[in-house]
């Protein structure tokens, strides 16, 4: 048991994170136990993440895992008998170094990984991409699991960048957002954009969108779109 | 409250528009909250459209939004506490300028957007496309959201054209129809056609269909196909 | 009313044909109201076919339509207030001219239509295709709806051919079988084969299968595969 | 009746094998009655496999078929009135010759078959593939059903290889695992890898992953990933 187990703010993030994994399967972004969503507990130095190697059918608020910002499981907390996602260190690094980030998502979604395997950023040639990402989707460095290099690569690439998505070379997309839902939306949109631009380019040259139009679309979408209480979600 | 809230004709369009959004998800044409369907209320200067930024799971007749033909929400009507789709101005422009149009649909469906990103019309090389669209699917101008340019582009491209679908350059498909269902059918069919012709052409040259055969297929389909009370739906 | 409405053999085919349409949607072979399945009533000069322009959600045994072998609706029979599929004449032609055929299916499935739009037969380069079709999937002539030319093209192409599927040029696949289920299986398999061979060839040259191996696979599959009471289904 | 029908170990494998077929349909790896999963009964010379030509909707523990390691059905056992999968001889050969293998799966999944039709191994260019397979996915020889040549080809290719998947030329993937679940996971992953690498390469050259990084990813994943009681599942 942990005192956090009865904290309504922690419980809310557990519920959000568990439920939002369902969006990854709905859009076909993950297979088997791959992929993971995490969410920061607002006002604390904690975040909630998926357990490692557990089937999507079996995810529930109570088996989500509560971690500190150095990636350690909170001892005795709900779900702490399991190991957290093997990508936990990368999520933790992002939360420590990007204080405005409230959610992180990682998948191996097909088309995003395809761009990553070529190390090629996705050019901004469709208005929906200008709306959502404000320009190209950048490539992050090649980095393998086991130390802080994945987290460093994400933070270095996305800091100061409009895009909430980075394609880690030969690996796949990581996305960030103001909360877990926003990061999941970015994961859904980056695969859509990766697929559409891939298919478009198979058949001939693409028409660029002038930079001032991209700027104008991005600014409108960040400020106007959606219901006022739920901007960019 | 608004007097329109108890009008059965308005209620019928609310139900149709809410339900028809389910066809967009069934056929994988939309993700997250993207895409929108609207329907004109027969015999009035009103139309019903999806709210902005609301999940497809949460759409219902009572949260559809009633608008006048200049795109303004009818004050006090059901759902009017929300903002209408950010594409409402484009829908309104179409209804004002194309009096026979009873439904408008917009999506970012993958293959249709791919043709739009190249600014390339879809050639009519399959009989099902001749049936449904009577020739190629045209490209509309590049236009960004915020004034009437999207609506103008749709109306200018589709007026006098057999096709009920236009691919707005770098953006995506807009479709029209005699009612919302007919426009949704066109949105489903244009993605199917965009995908099939894209795939066909990847592997080699396509065999054209002679113009007189296209004409004959189109004329038959508009007049004969389907049950007599439900032609072209 | 018709005396056939109480005939158990007719009723059985109505149930099979209505239910088998569900396999077309399960495998994504059809959209909206496109596609159709028919089945011959064993021991009679009758067949049962889908009504025209009716949603897949609304198909049921009682709205399937009973036709004679010249394609006319049996007056007064269940469902006869509706029009039969606009492809009824083609189905009828096949039943009249190929007495061993007990089922016919037509779809506009994506990859099969793509080969048809190039007028290119599908080469037999995978063992599953050798099993099922015994060689390449042939192309039929360009023919438009409205007379007997579609039916003639199917019969001329498939008579004496191992394949139960033909790709009508610029149009799409028609398949035949010993009964409706067998023809539906062929429709499912031809799309699978069309997709797999298309994708395989995108990336480089394919390895041919020697003719004697194709023959051996086809002969085994027709005679051995499956439970003895259900060969080739 | 057979004494094995009341053996809880046999019953457990029947349940696992029947249920695991649902993963093949969930991920779209099989159509109609194609594909098959088998599992060895631990501590015995028996395995359980799918019946031939039976619909995925109708699979249940009691119609799975119990076989000896020479591929013969155990007389009188549950389900023995049906024929086992036509690939039973290949499964049996693998169990006889690879004593550590506890599960075998065969599908005709689209992208894996596409590589097989070109006889081209899948290069290891994504980290998820290094994790799971430790290098390229190899091609096995062309072999047709009817003798031991398929089993021999699988065993010869996979013995001493890190990969748990082989693409039999012109045919499709066979996968092995420590149990049926592990082999099914490999079948799911090999199609994902085949699709992603195919798509990646369509658009330009791929960045190789250095061999020492592949080794490091593979070793970590085999030893660390997942919950301790369920490594590599």
């Amino acid at each position: 048991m942990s005192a956090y187990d009865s904290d309504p703010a922690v419980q809310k993030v557990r519920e959000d994170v568990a439920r939002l994994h369902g969006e990854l399967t709905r859009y076909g972004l993950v297979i088997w136990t791959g992929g993971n969503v995490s969410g920061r507990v607002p006002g604390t130095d904690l975040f909630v993440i998926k357990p490692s190697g557990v089937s999507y059918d079996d995810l529930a608020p109570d088996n989500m895992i509560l971690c500190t910002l150095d990636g350690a499981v909170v001892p005795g907390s709900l779900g702490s008998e399991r190991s957290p996602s093997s990508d936990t260190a990368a999520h933790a690094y992002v939360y420590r170094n990007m204080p405005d980030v409230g959610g992180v998502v990682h998948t191996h979604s097909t088309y995003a990984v395809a761009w990553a395997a070529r190390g090629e950023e996705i050019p901004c040639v469709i208005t929906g991409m200008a709306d959502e990402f404000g320009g190209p989707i950048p490539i992050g460095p090649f980095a393998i699991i086991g130390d802080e290099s994945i987290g460093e690569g994400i933070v270095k690439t996305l800091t100061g960048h409009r895009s909430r998505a980075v394609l880690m070379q030969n690996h796949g997309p990581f996305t960030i957002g103001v909360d877990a839902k926003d990061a999941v939306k970015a994961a859904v949109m980056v695969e859509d954009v990766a697929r559409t631009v891939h298919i478009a380019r198979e058949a001939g040259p693409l028409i660029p969108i002038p930079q001032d139009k991209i700027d104008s679309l991005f600014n409108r979408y960040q400020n106007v779109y959606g219901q006022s209480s739920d901007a960019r979600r």
Side-chain angles (χ1 to χ4, degrees), chain A:
Chain A
M1 283 283 300
S2 155
Y4 295 120
D5 292 350
S6 55
D7 182 334
V10 172
Q11 182 59 19
K12 167 81 166 59
V13 179
R14 285 181 177 279
E15 287 166 8
D16 288 349
V17 168
R19 189 190 65 248
L20 284 161
H21 281 92
E23 300 295 317
L24 303 187
T25 51
R26 183 203 293 237
Y27 291 106
L29 307 185
V30 291
I31 58 170
W32 211 255
T33 64
N36 37 73
V37 175
S38 71
R40 194 193 287 263
V41 182
T44 73
D45 284 345
L46 299 167
F47 68 97
V48 168
I49 194 166
K50 172 170 162 279
S52 178
V54 172
S55 163
Y56 276 82
D57 295 344
D58 297 331
L59 298 182
D62 286 2
N63 58 29
M64 295 296 106
I65 299 184
L66 186 67
C67 296
T68 60
L69 291 197
D70 58 4
V73 178
V74 173
S77 61
L78 266 175
S80 61
E81 70 283 4
R82 282 195 157 109
S83 309
S85 164
S86 56
D87 296 302
T88 299
H91 290 243
Y93 190 94
V94 173
Y95 289 120
R96 282 204 308 282
N97 290 280
M98 299 183 89
D100 294 342
V101 167
V104 178
V105 175
H106 174 48
T107 79
H108 291 172
S109 64
T110 303
Y111 285 87
V113 172
W115 289 86
R118 294 189 309 271
E120 183 181 10
E121 74 171 24
I122 310 177
C124 183
V125 293
I126 52 184
T127 58
M129 185 177 174
D131 289 342
E132 190 70 32
F133 296 107
I137 308 290
I139 295 289
F142 181 79
I144 69 172
I145 220 162
D147 56 19
E148 301 210 313
S149 59
I150 292 181
E152 282 174 9
I154 298 167
V155 168
K156 194 168 290 185
T157 310
L158 292 184
T159 298
H161 203 291
R162 280 179 180 170
S163 173
R164 313 203 303 297
V166 53
L167 308 178
M168 295 298 284
Q169 184 192 306
N170 293 108
H171 185 170
F174 281 82
T175 60
I176 58 175
V178 296
D179 56 19
K181 187 180 177 186
D182 191 37
V184 169
K185 184 186 177 190
V188 172
M189 299 302 285
V190 78
E191 177 65 5
D192 189 59
V193 154
R195 180 175 51 237
T196 304
V197 179
H198 174 93
I199 289 169
R201 206 176 55 172
E202 282 186 307
L206 305 181
I207 302 177
I209 304 181
Q211 186 62 45
D212 65 314
K213 302 299 188 192
I214 291 176
D215 294 348
S216 148
L217 286 163
F218 183 66
N219 289 331
R220 184 199 67 87
Y221 192 73
Q222 302 311 309
N223 298 314
V224 179
Y225 181 75
Q227 305 303 326
S228 53
S229 61
D230 191 37
R232 219 180 68 183
R233 287 172 206 184

